[in-house]
Amino acid sequence: MPPPPAAARVIVGLSGGVDSAVAALLLRQAGWEVQGLFMSNWDDEDGYCTTAQDYQDARAVAAELAIPLHRVSFAAQYRERVFEHFLSEQRAGRTPNPDVLCNREIKFGEALRYAQRLGATHFATGHYARLLRGPAGVELHKARDAAKDQSYFLHAVPPEQFTQVLMPLGELPKSEVRAQARRAGLPVFDKPDSTGICFIGERPFREFLARFLERTPGPIESPEGERLGTHEGLAFYTLGQRGGLGVGGRAGHAEEAWYVAAKNAARNTLVIVQGHDHPLLSSGALRSERWHWLVPARRAAFPCAVKVRYRQADQPALLEPRADGSMHIRFDHPQRAVTPGQYAVAYEGERCLGGAVIAVTAPPAVEAAAA
């Protein structure tokens, strides 16, 4: 933990969970003037989103640490900059990841600026990632605890924002974070980790989307065009999905599970296949939208590692920057269920290079022919 500069105030985003609580604890122990900020990004209290309880937990943590706690709502900004984009992508049949935009637009956008208005020199969070000084400035690196690393979700934050950010948990395993919370008497030391997106919570995803998106039923087909059922709308499905298809055993087909392999928006058709490793579920390459660099932009092709989903292990690939700012990514080995709308994020060792939204994919056979 770096020692604070003179008269340095840090505002910690206190979520009501153990991670942000320990972040505040560590900063206070290091000599920073610490204040807390509880932000609410969703204003629909219907039993699934736990904002009210989280605020009470944040208050209890602030009281235990004897630090001031501010409260602010960014619900309007979240609706406009994150949720509307989420719905637009869903309508287009893609699968967005709102957590990435939330970090860029809200936590390290609105909240950082709000912390500055409160007189802070720095803003801190309980994210598991490391910010290290490199030759070209602050670099984003993976957390020491590989199982908790959240750099994937942080790749879209403008790198200049990181110069005013602290992430005290980047060097610690989660087990030690809970142990420190317990030793310090923090009331959230055993609070379960939050999962999913606040505005969805633990509710059924399809049920939630139906409140905002019109159901547009259409055919479910095999790759050969055989009608197998009816879907409720392409927005309600994602590539690689197994459950919720309503297609059981079929005469003339093997007794294997069905998976979503493609969405044909022009025909409003959902294409499904049998078998976890069906060739149509694999991609040999992808093209991204405009790439967001966290390091000086590169012009020539270079090898590195890529993740196309959060929990995925690093995958070796060749990255080829394109003149329009997008990226062509060619994998060393075919990847399963690469999904447009999700993010491809690149790494060199522990350092995150940046990433972008996945635009289109190519099956291994097509990519091999192009090569």
Side-chain angles (χ1 to χ4, degrees), residues 154 228 262 269 320 325:
L154 298 167
L228 299 169
T269 299
E320 301 172 350

Side-chain angles (χ1 to χ4, degrees), residues 70-137:
H70 307 272
R71 184 175 187 178
V72 64
S73 172
F74 296 127
Q77 296 92 325
Y78 190 94
R79 288 257 182 179
E80 177 185 352
R81 301 181 202 168
V82 179
F83 188 61
E84 288 303 323
H85 178 268
F86 169 82
L87 292 180
S88 176
E89 288 285 271
Q90 292 286 351
R91 291 188 187 99
R94 307 212 305 177
T95 305
N97 189 325
D99 290 334
V100 172
L101 277 186
C102 181
N103 281 324
R104 188 186 76 189
E105 299 292 331
I106 307 300
K107 292 179 182 175
F108 300 99
E110 292 292 336
L112 174 58
R113 289 188 288 272
Y114 193 85
Q116 293 168 337
R117 292 197 293 273
L118 292 173
T121 60
H122 290 77
F123 178 64
T125 69
H127 282 94
Y128 285 84
R130 292 179 296 149
L131 297 173
L132 306 178
R133 178 67 60 178

Side-chain angles (χ1 to χ4, degrees), residues 138-158:
V138 177
E139 299 176 346
L140 176 65
H141 286 242
K142 295 179 183 178
R144 292 295 187 196
D145 188 337
K148 298 299 295 183
D149 172 56
Q150 294 173 304
S151 60
Y152 177 91
F153 296 116
L154 298 167
H155 77 271
V157 176

Side-chain angles (χ1 to χ4, degrees), residues 13 32 38 40 87 100 106 140 153 170 184-185 192 205 208 217 227 283 299 330 340 348:
W32 291 78
F38 181 86
S40 53
L87 292 180
V100 172
I106 307 300
L140 176 65
F153 296 116
F205 182 68
F208 172 79
R227 178 70 177 257
S283 299
R299 306 302 177 193
R330 185 177 305 174
E348 276 184 340

Side-chain angles (χ1 to χ4, degrees), residues 199-214:
F199 62 72
I200 296 175
E202 299 299 325
R203 82 190 84 205
F205 182 68
R206 192 175 299 176
E207 171 189 298
F208 172 79
L209 274 187
R211 292 170 50 190
F212 302 93
L213 301 180
E214 181 182 357

Side-chain angles (χ1 to χ4, degrees), residues 128-130 142-152 169-174 307 310-314 347 350:
Y128 285 84
R130 292 179 296 149
K142 295 179 183 178
R144 292 295 187 196
D145 188 337
K148 298 299 295 183
D149 172 56
Q150 294 173 304
S151 60
Y152 177 91
L169 307 188
E171 300 286 348
L172 299 178
K174 180 65 179 236
K307 294 179 185 289
Y310 169 46
R311 291 294 185 187
Q312 185 184 37
D314 289 0
Y347 295 86
E350 300 293 297

